[in-house]
Amino acid sequence: MSLSPLIRITAGTPRNPEWRMARPVDFEMLPGEHIAVCGPNGAGKSMFIDMVTGAHPLLHNQAAYCFGPNASRMVSDNIRHITFRDTYGGDNDRTFFLQQRWNATEIDPETPTAGQLLDRELALLSKQPDGQSQNFKDHLCRLFGLEPVLGKYIILLSSGELRKFHLAKALLSRPRLLIIDNPFIGLDTTARGQLRHILELLSKEDIQMLLVVSDETEIPDFITHVVPVENMTVGEKVTRGHFFSHIDSLGEEVPCNLQIPDSSSFALHTPLLEMNDITVRYGSHIILSHLSWTIRCGERWALKGRNGSGKSTLLSLICADNPQAYACDISIFGKKRGSGESIWDIKKHIGYVSPEMHRACRVNIPAVSIVASGFFDTTGLYSHPSADHLLSARRWLSIFGIGHVADRPFLRLSSGEQRLVLLARAFVKEPQLLILDEPMHGLDPRNQRLVKEVVTGYCQSPEKTLIFVTHDDRQLPPVINHTLEL
């Protein structure tokens, strides 16, 4: 007896010509299948998922769904799509990080806890929550190990806790299909292992999963099939075993001939950053305790630590984004913090990229303008760039292999292409201090190798100084010669 596909797309072509794939899409997902959609950055994975969810209406044959035995036949009730663009959860949390995390000294008592938010979601889904609905919520909390954090304010959850919270929230409606984009992005090794275990447990529940990944090493064992996507073409669905038996584990070489002239105004080995007995707290919550750190000109540091250990807080002090920096004993580039220097005096020597910056960058201007904004230390372009600024911006886009997107609007690029644009922005003024916070988030293996080569080439200039943050030692460039672990 043949099974009715959960989803079927036949000769699917988006109605909007600006979103067309290279060829029509044929795809079906049968009951019991768990599928990974895998491909390089900019390959068309997100566009394909939008066709699956109906976000891109099709020109002729609309996607067909079979959601039985669920009573509802609505796509919105049966498909949940979660996108993890960085370590701090989904798109709905955009205002959470930059404002509340750095600027709140006391948490508003009206701020909801994780448990209260789950109860609110349950109330929205069921006008009269019954015991069965409450029992299902309790089951999800036990499954994900959320009971210890239900009483915590949502803005104090760690990255791994917040990831599990969003999964539980999405599953309260009991969807037939859960789509997760970049499920492991930004998680430390322990949290990644926990999430893999949770997803495997979830695969045994009455729900199917479709994971979107750029790196085939992130495909979990419970995945039954893989759909490769490349060059705006959705390939044939194959079994997991078939996919891994036909991929090149070594990958192509990524040449990078980068020469940066020495232009430092700081003598080699002189202190660029001195932090003495630093403590940062929010109310009773201590983030950093009695930390001292000195970085000298030409040193290349790896900054490590589990999610929630204080890495991002530490970087916010260096970049003058955290108001508590002015209450701490910090000297940078030879000036004591609070001695009259402006935030722009500090930032002009720093090239910086982070998941938070990626999240906050929502200006839909051409990619070349985003890169040129690095000369002015803004994420939008509020000053008119010179011809030399634009020429340098295009050069760095080419170095990162995306010169062809220079004139495309930033928000029309894939998440991986956006990350490469922001990396080019960090390098464009060839700064003294380069701070790369999880620079390889969401990048495919080839682009990860490219970024490592660019960083290595940049640091051949002996006075260039580097802080590199990652949870994966395989991503560290070989120039690293110091490590700080929080």
Side-chain angles (χ1 to χ4, degrees), residues 328-346:
C328 296
D329 184 359
I330 301 175
S331 295
I332 185 166
F333 304 121
K335 294 182 179 180
K336 189 172 180 61
R337 184 63 51 83
S339 61
E341 85 287 2
S342 73
I343 189 174
W344 310 112
D345 293 329
I346 298 168

Side-chain angles (χ1 to χ4, degrees), residues 122-149:
L122 192 64
L124 289 173
L125 293 170
S126 178
K127 294 181 179 179
Q128 293 181 335
D130 52 22
Q132 187 176 8
S133 299
Q134 186 64 41
N135 289 339
F136 183 63
K137 188 203 81 169
D138 294 340
H139 168 67
L140 291 175
C141 290
R142 287 192 299 272
L143 183 68
F144 293 168
L146 284 174
E147 295 104 323
V149 306

Side-chain angles (χ1 to χ4, degrees), residues 69-337:
N70 281 13
S72 173
R73 297 294 184 263
M74 295 179 62
V75 173
S76 59
D77 289 336
N78 287 281
I79 298 180
R80 284 287 182 267
H81 183 194
I82 307 176
T83 299
F84 295 123
R85 298 188 185 277
D86 55 48
T87 63
Y88 302 102
D91 285 340
N92 292 334
D93 306 308
R94 189 172 298 129
T95 60
F96 148 68
F97 182 81
L98 288 176
Q99 297 303 315
Q100 295 193 54
R101 193 173 189 188
W102 299 150
N103 295 317
T105 56
E106 296 289 344
I107 298 175
D108 187 332
E110 297 300 317
T111 301
T113 64
Q116 288 170 337
L117 285 175
L118 290 179
D119 288 336
R120 290 181 190 178
E121 182 70 13
L122 192 64
L124 289 173
L125 293 170
S126 178
K127 294 181 179 179
Q128 293 181 335
D130 52 22
Q132 187 176 8
S133 299
Q134 186 64 41
N135 289 339
F136 183 63
K137 188 203 81 169
D138 294 340
H139 168 67
L140 291 175
C141 290
R142 287 192 299 272
L143 183 68
F144 293 168
L146 284 174
E147 295 104 323
V149 306
L150 293 179
K152 291 176 65 174
Y153 292 118
I154 190 71
I155 65 172
L156 293 182
L157 297 186
S158 71
S159 302
E161 291 168 344
L162 193 59
R163 191 70 46 95
K164 293 185 285 188
F165 166 81
H166 279 286
L167 284 170
K169 183 179 176 183
L171 292 172
L172 283 176
S173 63
R174 306 189 190 212
R176 286 295 314 280
L177 176 64
L178 180 64
I179 301 175
I180 313 178
D181 200 340
N182 291 317
F184 304 105
I185 193 171
L187 294 181
D188 61 44
T189 302
T190 300
R192 291 166 74 93
Q194 291 173 345
L195 182 57
R196 282 180 179 270
H197 178 65
I198 286 171
L199 293 179
E200 185 170 1
L201 292 176
L202 202 58
S203 69
K204 298 176 173 59
E205 302 273 326
D206 188 22
I207 187 172
Q208 293 177 240
M209 278 181 282
L210 198 159
L211 307 185
V212 185
V213 298
S214 297
D215 186 345
E216 64 270 7
T217 64
E218 294 188 340
I219 298 177
D221 293 341
F222 68 83
I223 291 295
T224 62
H225 295 78
V226 178
V227 173
V229 181
E230 192 165 2
N231 297 322
M232 304 305 292
T233 299
V234 177
E236 178 183 358
K237 180 180 70 178
V238 297
T239 65
R240 187 182 191 278
H242 181 276
F243 175 78
F244 278 105
S245 67
H246 287 78
I247 62 173
D248 180 3
S249 59
L250 296 178
E252 62 182 298
E253 292 186 6
V254 184
C256 177
N257 298 316
L258 187 62
Q259 293 183 343
I260 303 296
D262 294 344
S263 58
S264 176
S265 57
F266 303 94
L268 198 63
H269 306 308
T270 58
L272 290 188
L273 171 70
E274 295 178 278
M275 310 180 84
N276 300 304
D277 199 30
I278 301 299
T279 295
V280 174
R281 68 175 71 228
Y282 294 96
S284 60
H285 189 56
I286 298 176
I287 309 297
L288 297 171
S289 179
H290 302 290
L291 172 71
S292 296
W293 190 21
T294 298
I295 297 178
R296 300 180 182 277
C297 180
E299 293 180 345
R300 289 76 189 252
W301 285 80
L303 178 58
K304 299 181 180 181
R306 295 180 60 174
N307 295 127
S309 63
K311 300 185 301 298
S312 295
T313 299
L314 180 57
L315 297 182
S316 75
L317 296 173
I318 298 172
C319 296
D321 292 327
N322 192 320
Q324 294 200 39
Y326 296 94
C328 296
D329 184 359
I330 301 175
S331 295
I332 185 166
F333 304 121
K335 294 182 179 180
K336 189 172 180 61
R337 184 63 51 83

